[in-house]
């Protein structure tokens, strides 16, 4: 059965795509990360395909990632960015969807100050139909500080075929029951899918010593294995561990599930959501 990493990144420092990526702030990852760096990790982990995710809004960044995906067979597709508020958003998105390597759109909800913003039902790009296999991927709260953003709920109403990277809690469960309540609300009020990705990076160091099983159990209870997909968040992941460690940790955290449920989390769910053969 296919094994998929549903959330990874590439970047090249000389492009200047990520202003936050400096040697002072992120010495471990402030260098180029390209397919040649990832392929040995995928081979060792027995991962068949990946989904390449854009992490900042800009057309040149999206096109750079689409070009990399076209030249890298293991990359099944790109979740890219488009400006949903642009007056010509509908025609822009329609043109983008002709590219079969584009499997999702990411409005960067986490960077939008206005809770309505691009998630308003009347936003120019909100109702644009995409070609089969392309969906609107709307991650929320990918920052280190958790707060239940109203824009998350707005995005899910506008983009019912959406995925989200679960926001990181600020304190261990059960003290952080606000986080668990929010996760259950998002899962129960929509058909949203969730990524088991970024917890190691986003929650550190606030949750050092906390039991990650408690968080994964909430995600499993809320979304179920067929709405939950594993992602590495590589190479951001390298600030908290490495590819093999995060994969092994997640395999351990899901060890009590049936083989079919584990297959869903580590490949089947992403294949269904992103239309990966």
């Amino acid at each position: 059965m296919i094994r998929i990493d549903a959330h990874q990144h590439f970047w090249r420092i000389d492009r200047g795509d990520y202003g936050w990526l400096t040697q002072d702030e992120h010495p471990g990852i402030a260098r180029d990360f390209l397919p040649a760096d990832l392929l040995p990790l995928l081979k060792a982990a027995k991962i068949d395909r990946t989904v390449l995710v854009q992490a900042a809004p800009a057309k040149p960044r999206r096109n750079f990632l689409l070009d990399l995906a076209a030249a890298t067979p293991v990359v099944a597709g790109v979740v890219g960015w488009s400006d949903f508020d642009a007056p010509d958003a509908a025609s822009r998105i329609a043109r983008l969807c002709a590219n079969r390597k584009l499997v999702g759109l990411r409005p960067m909800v986490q960077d939008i100050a206005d809770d309505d913003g691009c998630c308003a039902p009347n936003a120019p790009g909100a109702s644009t139909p995409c070609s089969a296999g392309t969906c609107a991927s709307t991650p929320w709260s990918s920052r280190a500080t958790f707060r239940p953003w109203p824009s998350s709920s707005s995005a899910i109403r506008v983009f019912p075929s959406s995925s989200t990277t679960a926001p990181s809690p600020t304190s261990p469960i059960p003290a952080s029951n606000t986080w668990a309540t929010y996760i259950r609300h998002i899962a129960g009020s929509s058909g949203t899918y969730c990524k088991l990705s970024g917890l190691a990076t986003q929650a550190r160091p606030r949750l050092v010593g906390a039991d990650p099983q408690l968080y994964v159990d909430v995600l499993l209870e809320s979304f179920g294995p067929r709405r939950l997909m594993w992602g590495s968040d590589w190479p951001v992941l390298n600030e908290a561990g490495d590819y093999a460690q995060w994969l092994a940790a997640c395999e351990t955290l899901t060890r009590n599930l049936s083989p079919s449920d584990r297959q869903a989390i580590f490949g089947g769910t992403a294949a269904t959501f992103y239309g990966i053969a």
Side-chain angles (χ1 to χ4, degrees), residues 71-157:
T72 310
V74 75
V75 176
V78 173
V79 175
W81 171 85
S82 187
D83 184 356
F84 281 70
D85 285 324
D88 61 343
S91 59
R92 287 188 190 184
I93 293 170
R95 288 194 298 271
L96 281 173
C97 289
N99 187 325
R100 300 305 299 174
K101 277 290 187 177
L102 185 79
V103 296
L105 293 172
R106 190 184 195 197
M108 307 297 170
V109 172
Q110 71 273 12
D111 292 333
I112 299 172
D114 180 356
D115 284 334
D116 291 324
C118 74
C119 302
N122 61 349
S127 61
T128 304
C130 285
S131 58
T134 303
C135 54
S137 179
T138 57
W140 31 275
S141 192
S142 62
R143 297 299 186 193
T145 301
F146 165 75
R147 65 186 179 95
W149 289 2
S151 58
S152 304
S153 299
S154 300
I156 287 165
R157 286 196 301 271

Side-chain angles (χ1 to χ4, degrees), residues 7 53-55 79 105-112 114-116 118-119 136-169 178-199 202-203 206 215 218-219 222-223 227-229 233 273-274:
H7 196 107
V53 179
Q54 186 169 347
V79 175
L105 293 172
R106 190 184 195 197
M108 307 297 170
V109 172
Q110 71 273 12
D111 292 333
I112 299 172
D114 180 356
D115 284 334
D116 291 324
C118 74
C119 302
S137 179
T138 57
W140 31 275
S141 192
S142 62
R143 297 299 186 193
T145 301
F146 165 75
R147 65 186 179 95
W149 289 2
S151 58
S152 304
S153 299
S154 300
I156 287 165
R157 286 196 301 271
V158 176
F159 305 118
S161 296
S162 62
S163 75
T164 179
T165 300
S168 298
T178 300
W179 177 85
T181 299
Y182 187 55
I183 291 295
R184 293 180 181 119
H185 166 72
I186 292 296
S189 62
S190 70
T192 301
Y193 289 59
C194 182
K195 291 180 181 177
L196 177 54
S197 176
L199 182 61
Q202 295 294 330
R206 294 192 312 277
Y215 302 102
V218 170
L219 296 177
S222 303
F223 292 95
R227 289 168 60 197
L228 193 63
M229 55 185 122
D233 196 28
F273 183 74
Y274 289 115

